[in-house]
């Protein structure tokens, strides 16, 4: 058990068959080392962390600009929903990718053991939640907001 925990902690530094670090997790299966992958080690999580580090402040900045920008309350609310949906799409798609990578790695071979089974049980609800959140965020970004029919009819509607 301690061996599996130490392997899980250092999973991002295990090299794959080509010697690239951060691609797989090595476990001991019936006394023989086996590689489980793809594993969301540093190779995969590094770019995800950079995207979150850049994307989150950009969304906060956009929300502040919207809150203090032109337009009535409904227009600002619609813009804020779109920005929030875009941020949710960025986060939930990355969480879904990590969950899928872990699920594939742990179900690829029968070497995961009890810690792997507990991980699968823990990440499946997270995967379903991120799938639902991705769908909601996509609809929020793509779906047009209801507009006032009178404003569209007399040409006073501002499409900004």
């Amino acid at each position: 058990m301690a061996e599996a925990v130490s392997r899980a902690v250092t999973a991002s530094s295990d090299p794959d068959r080509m010697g690239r670090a951060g691609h797989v997790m090595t476990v001991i299966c019936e006394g023989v080392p086996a590689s489980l992958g793809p594993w969301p080690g540093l190779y995969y999580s590094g770019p995800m962390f950079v995207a979150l580090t850049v994307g989150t402040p950009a969304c906060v900045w956009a929300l502040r600009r919207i809150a203090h920008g032109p337009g009535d309350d409904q227009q600002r609310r619609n813009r804020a929903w779109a920005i929030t949906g875009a941020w949710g799409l960025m986060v939930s798609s990355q969480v879904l990718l990590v969950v899928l990578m872990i699920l594939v790695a742990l179900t690829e071979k029968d070497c995961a053991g009890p810690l792997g089974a507990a991980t699968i049980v823990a990440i499946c609800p997270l995967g379903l939640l991120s799938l639902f959140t991705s769908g909601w965020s996509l609809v929020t970004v793509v779906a047009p907001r209801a507009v006032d029919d009178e404003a569209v009819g007399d040409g006073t509607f501002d499409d900004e």
Side-chain angles (χ1 to χ4, degrees), residues 93-141:
S93 64
Q94 291 181 9
V95 169
L96 186 60
L97 180 63
V98 168
V99 166
L100 286 174
M101 289 173 73
I102 292 171
L103 193 62
V104 165
L106 292 178
T107 58
E108 181 180 15
K109 297 177 183 169
D110 293 331
C111 299
L115 185 60
T119 303
I120 290 171
V121 168
I123 66 168
C124 282
L126 181 62
L128 290 174
L129 178 64
S130 64
L131 186 63
F132 172 76
T133 307
S134 293
W136 177 86
S137 298
L138 186 62
V139 168
T140 302
V141 170

Side-chain angles (χ1 to χ4, degrees), residues 1 3 6 17 23 35 42 44 52 60 63 69-70 78 83 95 111 113-114 118 121 134 149-151 154-155:
M1 178 77 170
E3 175 75 10
S6 70
R17 287 183 220 130
H23 288 219
S35 296
L42 290 177
Y44 298 108
L52 289 173
V60 169
L63 287 172
N78 290 344
I83 295 296
V95 169
C111 299
V121 168
S134 293
D149 291 335
E150 293 176 16
D154 62 1

Side-chain angles (χ1 to χ4, degrees), residues 8 15 17 19 38 40-41 43 49 57 66 75 77 82 86-87 90 109 128 139 141 145 150 154 157:
R17 287 183 220 130
Y43 180 80
F49 181 71
I66 289 168
Q75 288 174 332
R77 191 174 296 117
W87 183 81
M90 177 182 67
K109 297 177 183 169
L128 290 174
V139 168
V141 170
R145 297 283 174 205
E150 293 176 16
D154 62 1
F157 174 69

Side-chain angles (χ1 to χ4, degrees), residues 53-77:
T53 303
V54 172
T56 300
C59 288
V60 169
W61 176 80
L63 287 172
R64 286 188 51 81
R65 296 267 314 195
I66 289 168
H68 302 293
D72 63 359
D73 285 343
Q74 186 62 41
Q75 288 174 332
R76 287 196 301 268
R77 191 174 296 117

